[in-house]
Amino acid sequence: MIIYPDIDRVAFSLGPLKVHWYGLTYLAGFVLSFFFARHRAKRADAPIEPKDVEDLIFYGALGVILGGRLGYLIFYGWTEVLKDPTYIFKFWEGGMSFHGGLLGVLVAMALFARKHDRGFFEITDFVAVFTPLGLFCGRIGNFINGELWGGPTDLPWGFLHEGVVKHPSMLYEALFEGVILFVLLAWFSRKPRPTRAVSGLFLLGYGVFRSGIEFVRLPDGHIGYLADGWFTMGQLLCLPMIAYGLYLIWCAYRTPQTAVAS
């Protein structure tokens, strides 16, 4: 058993301005993504040049923040909005949906691809590889906020939180959706692959990892389980990801297009 350190959500204050750890973890994710994207863009078969990475990260950041917040409010937080409409703007309290952020990034990447006259899947294949870096940082933010806990456990790495030893499901997600998925995608994309293959593997890998962790992660209290005491909103939202990921991989190798760096 490990005692949860109960970290102050505020990293530091600048007069009346309070800077939260949750926001800093998102910033760290964008910074890591920027440097990794710059490195990948130097490959001869990359779909963009290093000078375009700043623009790419800007588009991606808007997609993550706007899509993630809107997705959370739609999928999970609508009851909070009904009680307090200002909750929409309280980013520092947490409340970001990966699935909403994914949709936001897809829209942003479509706009970026159109602006730079590139194929949509060329860009998503490139972006998919370093996306887990941001996911890792976001889950560390969830840990600092003390949110997204799993159910009770007697495993030695369980955390004592509010008098109960719990699965640190946010750390499980940081490991699987962040570290392991990043290593898998980096290894897979070490050489050019057919267009859509890397995007498909990302969707499949995230969907499988997230669905598995949902078995120990507790659902949002105001939503609960959707069926039979185990099926969650997270698992429901992952089903189309897994299906579409498999479809993209099948399409990539059935009718290979020009391979690009991812």
Side-chain angles (χ1 to χ4, degrees), residues 128-184:
V129 181
F130 57 82
T131 296
L133 296 174
L135 296 178
F136 171 82
C137 292
R139 293 312 182 193
I140 297 302
N142 294 141
F143 177 76
I144 292 173
N145 273 3
E147 59 191 4
L148 307 185
W149 288 101
T153 180
D154 56 2
L155 293 171
W157 56 80
F159 277 79
L160 179 62
H161 178 253
E162 297 180 341
V164 179
V165 180
K166 305 175 183 178
H167 282 285
S169 54
M170 73 294 277
L171 295 183
Y172 297 166
E173 293 188 66
L175 174 62
F176 284 92
E177 301 164 11
V179 177
I180 293 177
L181 186 56
F182 172 72
V183 171
L184 174 63

Side-chain angles (χ1 to χ4, degrees), residues 22 26 30 61-73 75-76 87-88 90-101 138-139 142 145 147-148 206 210 217 220:
Y22 191 71
Y26 268 74
F30 294 135
L62 287 180
V64 167
I65 294 172
L66 297 179
R69 186 60 174 174
L70 182 60
Y72 179 82
L73 297 175
F75 300 138
Y76 302 100
Y87 179 72
I88 294 173
K90 296 180 179 179
F91 292 86
W92 57 88
E93 294 186 4
M96 297 286 282
S97 164
F98 164 78
H99 297 92
R139 293 312 182 193
N142 294 141
N145 273 3
E147 59 191 4
L148 307 185
Y206 180 90
R210 173 69 182 271
R217 172 177 157 177
D220 288 53

Side-chain angles (χ1 to χ4, degrees), residues 67-252:
R69 186 60 174 174
L70 182 60
Y72 179 82
L73 297 175
I74 293 174
F75 300 138
Y76 302 100
W78 53 272
T79 56
E80 296 293 334
V81 176
L82 292 178
K83 291 187 294 184
D84 178 15
T86 65
Y87 179 72
I88 294 173
F89 307 103
K90 296 180 179 179
F91 292 86
W92 57 88
E93 294 186 4
M96 297 286 282
S97 164
F98 164 78
H99 297 92
L102 175 62
L103 293 175
V105 168
L106 292 178
V107 171
M109 293 304 99
L111 295 174
F112 176 87
R114 181 177 180 180
K115 176 181 176 181
H116 292 268
D117 194 26
R118 305 299 300 183
F120 173 70
F121 285 112
E122 288 183 276
I123 300 302
T124 60
D125 282 354
F126 182 82
V127 170
V129 181
F130 57 82
T131 296
L133 296 174
L135 296 178
F136 171 82
C137 292
R139 293 312 182 193
I140 297 302
N142 294 141
F143 177 76
I144 292 173
N145 273 3
E147 59 191 4
L148 307 185
W149 288 101
T153 180
D154 56 2
L155 293 171
W157 56 80
F159 277 79
L160 179 62
H161 178 253
E162 297 180 341
V164 179
V165 180
K166 305 175 183 178
H167 282 285
S169 54
M170 73 294 277
L171 295 183
Y172 297 166
E173 293 188 66
L175 174 62
F176 284 92
E177 301 164 11
V179 177
I180 293 177
L181 186 56
F182 172 72
V183 171
L184 174 63
L185 291 168
W187 169 82
F188 182 72
S189 63
R190 71 195 186 283
K191 61 181 180 179
R193 300 288 180 176
T195 306
R196 296 170 290 185
V198 178
S199 297
L201 182 60
F202 169 79
L203 293 174
L204 174 62
Y206 180 90
V208 170
F209 289 148
R210 173 69 182 271
S211 295
I213 294 170
E214 287 284 317
F215 283 105
V216 299
R217 172 177 157 177
L218 293 174
D220 288 53
H222 61 287
I223 296 179
Y225 294 102
L226 302 184
D228 299 327
W230 64 270
F231 191 65
T232 67
M233 177 64 78
Q235 289 171 321
L236 176 64
L237 295 174
C238 282
L239 289 178
M241 289 184 65
I242 294 172
Y244 193 54
L246 289 170
Y247 173 73
L248 287 180
I249 294 172
W250 177 75
C251 288

